[in-house]
């Protein structure tokens, strides 16, 4: 479609959001979104299988055949169902995968201002658990697959949608992407994957500042630190105390910082952001690009937001402590969990060795909790970036697309590790206050939801047909 046509379509689309009347596309999107949000998919009492079946019914009603729909429920996890749907292309290119998880973190009604499992539209916002993370993308993909089917899209590559479960559970034996990759790889094998993790930022006035494309994420790896001791009666204490050993080691870790490192993606992030930010922040972003980086600038950025420190370093932080067995007994065991988020390319064994060196106590035994998935950063190819940037500029003229690396983690790690390049890109913008994902009163702006659906529709169609 020519640029002028894209612009007209975008204006017609976004204009309807400001008025009381929704377009037919938006009405359908809202119905799907509400049904998905109001289907509880928490680990405690919810069911991804129920939600996946509801989405499968919508696709089947839209003309998808049984052969193109696959409900995959892992053994031992009857509520952990995953849905894979496919629109077949001519086979001249490897598939495009549209990936979103449908499970959500827990939410207690008494803590929320509104029922977290009822979609509430209020003052230009949608409120609910999963309203942003990640049912906004999941509903968009379902609605867009229906649009593609209705339009009789004839792509050059298969368009595959995967709605998966247990992305939010750590650790878990039912992660949907991991299970599908290990047992049904042919269903989700692809050249390119669109996933959560990207999105846009609005300023305080609601004006778009930047649109992010996530290319890579840190490696999630936890460690157990443990000290054991014969113990004894608390009335006659020894100096050799398991709790003191552990506490001293954790204190040394708390004062330690891993080395500063920039990748191509994080360097590009700060280069572009230094042209967007103003004053001292912009100057500091430029200063950390020097070799060596300006330490004072680094400290000011860290004070501004801990995410800056996490972007340029591996981080390891104590998150849980358990010690002792009785008030009147010396501790026989003291344990701590240290959660690390490791920069791509840094070996896990090297991080473990660094921890052992930093705690500097042979009595502190360090072991891994699970096995982190190390994955490379996907390439920002010219063809992909051209599509991402041109569609973004059509919808938000002049707003720069900024490459980012996630300091958290997504299911993209399983795919990137196998060379199925996965990018976080949503077209959904949040204000400086964030979305409340994983926290109280999670929300997304109504306009951002519909704009994001439109952006993903255009991007998916372009990547599938070009």
């Amino acid at each position: 479609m020519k640029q002028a046509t894209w612009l007209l379509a975008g204006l017609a689309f976004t204009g309807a959001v400001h008025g009381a009347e929704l377009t037919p596309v938006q009405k359908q999107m809202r119905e799907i979104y509400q049904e998905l949000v109001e289907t509880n998919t928490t680990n405690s009492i919810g069911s991804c299988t129920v939600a996946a079946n509801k989405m499968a019914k919508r696709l089947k009603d839209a003309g998808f055949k049984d052969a193109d729909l696959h409900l995959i429920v892992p053994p031992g996890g009857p509520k952990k169902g995953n849905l894979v749907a496919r629109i077949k292309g001519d086979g001249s290119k490897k598939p495009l995968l549209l990936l979103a998880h449908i499970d959500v973190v827990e939410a207690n009604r008494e803590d929320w201002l509104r029922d977290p499992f009822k979609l509430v539209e209020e003052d230009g916002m949608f409120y609910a658990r999963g309203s942003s993370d990640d049912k906004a993308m999941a509903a968009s993909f379902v609605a867009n697959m229906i649009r593609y089917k209705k339009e009789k899209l004839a792509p050059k590559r298969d368009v595959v949608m995967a709605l998966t479960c247990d992305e939010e559970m750590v650790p878990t034996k039912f992660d949907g992407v991991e299970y599908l990759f290990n047992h049904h790889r042919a269903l989700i094998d692809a050249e390119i994957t669109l996933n959560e993790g990207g999105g846009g930022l609005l300023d305080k006035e609601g004006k778009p500042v930047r649109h992010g494309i996530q290319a890579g994420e840190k490696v999630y790896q936890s460690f157990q630190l443990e000290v054991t001791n014969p113990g004894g009666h608390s009335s006659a204490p020894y100096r050799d105390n398991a709790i003191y050993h552990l506490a001293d080691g954790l204190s040394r870790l708390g004062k330690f910082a891993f080395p500063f490192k920039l990748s191509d993606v994080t360097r590009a992030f700060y280069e572009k952001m230094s042209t967007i930010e103003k004053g001292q922040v912009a100057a500091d972003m430029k200063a950390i690009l020097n070799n060596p980086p300006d330490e004072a600038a680094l400290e000011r950025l860290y004070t501004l937001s801990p995410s800056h420190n996490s972007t340029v370093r591996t981080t390891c932080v104590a998150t849980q402590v358990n010690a002792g067995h009785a008030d009147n007994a010396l501790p026989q065991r003291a344990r701590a969990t240290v959660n690390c988020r490791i920069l791509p390319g840094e070996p896990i064994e090297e991080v473990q060795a660094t921890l052992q060196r930093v705690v500097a106590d042979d009595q502190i035994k360090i072991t891994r909790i699970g096995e982190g998935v190390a994955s490379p950063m996907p390439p920002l190819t010219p063809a992909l970036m051209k599509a991402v940037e041109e569609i973004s500029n059509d919808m938000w003229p002049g707003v720069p697309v900024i490459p980012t690396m996630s300091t958290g983690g997504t299911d993209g790690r399983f795919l990137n590790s196998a060379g199925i390049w996965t990018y976080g890109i949503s077209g959904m913008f949040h204000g400086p206050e964030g979305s409340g994902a994983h926290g109280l009163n999670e929300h997304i702006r109504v306009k951002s939801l519909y704009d994001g659906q439109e952006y993903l529709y255009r991007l998916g169609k372009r990547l599938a047909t070009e």
Side-chain angles (χ1 to χ4, degrees):
M1 189 179 293
K2 294 182 179 179
Q3 184 171 348
T5 308
W6 281 116
L7 285 169
L8 289 172
L11 289 171
F13 180 82
T14 55
V17 177
H18 293 296
E21 190 69 26
L22 297 178
T23 68
V25 166
Q26 292 165 348
K27 287 180 180 178
Q28 183 180 60
M29 170 63 184
R30 196 189 192 287
E31 291 174 2
I32 293 169
Y33 180 59
Q34 182 166 354
E35 181 175 42
L36 196 53
V37 163
E38 294 186 353
T39 303
N40 191 316
T41 52
T42 58
N43 184 63
S44 59
I45 61 172
S47 173
C48 289
T49 305
V50 170
N53 271 308
K54 289 180 179 180
M55 296 301 102
K57 183 179 185 305
R58 285 190 173 272
L59 292 169
K60 193 170 182 178
D61 290 345
F64 281 78
K65 298 179 181 178
D66 289 340
D68 295 326
L69 298 172
H70 301 271
L71 183 68
I72 309 294
V73 182
K79 296 182 179 181
K80 305 295 184 179
N82 309 275
L83 175 65
V84 180
R86 182 180 302 266
I87 294 175
K88 293 181 179 179
D90 65 17
S92 58
K93 289 188 175 184
K94 289 189 66 176
L96 167 69
L97 177 61
L98 310 177
L99 176 65
H101 67 86
I102 53 176
D103 63 305
V104 296
V105 297
E106 303 293 337
N108 295 320
R109 174 65 186 94
E110 57 270 24
D111 297 333
W112 283 54
L113 293 177
R114 309 159 191 86
D115 187 337
F117 297 103
K118 293 291 182 184
L119 185 66
V120 176
E121 183 176 349
E122 186 178 298
D123 297 328
M125 297 282 189
F126 283 126
Y127 291 90
R129 173 57 86 220
S131 57
S132 175
D133 184 15
D134 185 30
K135 290 181 175 179
M137 282 193 77
S140 294
F141 286 148
V142 172
N144 288 343
M145 290 289 279
I146 292 173
R147 290 176 73 180
Y148 298 148
K149 176 65 72 172
K150 184 178 180 180
E151 294 171 359
K152 297 182 179 180
L153 183 71
K156 293 185 177 181
R157 59 173 100 229
D158 289 6
V159 180
V160 182
M161 181 192 72
L163 304 183
T164 60
C165 194
D166 256 25
E167 191 272 350
E168 301 289 13
M169 288 296 296
V170 178
T172 175
K173 61 180 180 179
F174 295 117
D175 184 280
V177 172
E178 184 179 24
Y179 183 80
L180 289 171
F181 180 79
N182 289 335
H183 300 279
H184 302 276
R185 178 166 177 170
L187 287 180
I188 62 168
D189 205 9
E191 180 183 357
I192 302 171
T193 301
L194 302 183
N195 186 32
E196 65 171 333
L201 175 67
L202 305 169
D203 63 18
K204 293 179 181 180
E205 285 71 44
K207 180 182 177 182
V209 175
R210 68 173 188 260
H211 190 193
I213 174 171
Q214 178 199 316
E217 56 191 63
K218 299 177 86 172
V219 179
Y220 182 105
Q221 179 66 63
S222 290
F223 297 90
Q224 178 181 273
L225 280 60
E226 182 179 48
V227 181
T228 56
N229 193 288
H233 203 290
S234 64
S235 64
Y238 299 97
R239 291 189 178 93
D240 184 21
N241 184 295
I243 292 177
Y244 297 159
H245 278 283
L246 182 63
D248 287 346
L250 291 176
S251 179
R252 286 187 284 272
L253 178 60
K255 297 179 177 68
F256 173 76
F258 281 82
F260 171 95
K261 291 183 181 179
L262 287 175
S263 66
D264 290 343
V265 169
T266 53
R267 178 174 290 277
F269 171 78
Y270 282 110
E271 286 175 346
K272 290 196 174 185
M273 285 304 299
S274 68
T275 66
I276 297 173
E277 297 287 356
K278 307 293 183 184
Q280 187 65 56
V281 175
D284 287 343
M285 288 181 171
K286 292 176 182 177
I288 69 170
L289 298 173
N290 295 332
N291 189 15
D294 186 311
E295 293 293 334
L298 272 172
E299 186 59 30
R300 284 191 293 270
L301 289 174
Y302 184 12
T303 302
L304 180 68
S305 171
S307 65
H308 289 296
N309 183 63
S310 300
T311 298
V312 300
R313 302 182 196 276
T314 288
T315 60
C316 292
V317 60
T319 55
Q320 291 181 310
V321 176
N322 181 274
H325 60 284
D327 288 357
N328 57 356
L330 300 176
Q332 297 171 6
R333 179 176 284 104
R335 289 175 174 164
T337 298
V338 170
N339 179 246
C340 295
R341 305 300 178 110
I342 304 170
L343 288 174
E346 290 191 5
I348 295 173
E349 56 269 21
E350 289 186 11
V351 173
Q352 184 171 347
T354 299
L355 289 177
Q356 195 72 67
R357 175 176 58 82
V358 171
V359 299
D361 189 333
D362 291 340
Q363 292 197 47
I364 301 177
K365 180 182 178 182
I366 301 179
T367 56
R368 299 183 195 182
I369 302 174
E371 193 66 31
V373 179
S375 59
M377 304 184 83
L380 293 170
T381 62
L384 173 69
M385 291 305 295
K386 183 178 181 182
V388 167
E389 290 174 345
E390 287 185 352
I391 298 172
S392 182
N393 192 59
D394 285 344
M395 295 187 66
W396 305 284
V399 176
V401 173
I402 307 291
T404 65
M405 178 200 70
S406 173
T407 59
T410 74
D411 277 335
R413 65 191 186 276
F414 299 109
L415 302 178
N416 280 322
S417 66
I420 301 174
W421 301 128
T422 302
Y423 304 90
I425 184 84
S426 71
M428 298 179 189
F429 284 68
H430 293 281
E433 79 284 353
S435 67
H438 291 211
L440 294 177
N441 306 309
E442 183 180 348
H443 59 275
I444 188 172
R445 299 183 184 216
V446 174
K447 184 178 186 303
S448 291
L449 177 73
Y450 294 132
D451 281 357
Q453 181 206 359
E454 178 69 10
Y455 180 84
L456 290 170
Y457 165 77
R458 297 185 191 184
L459 181 60
K461 186 173 184 177
R462 178 162 170 173
L463 293 176
T465 57
E466 280 195 346

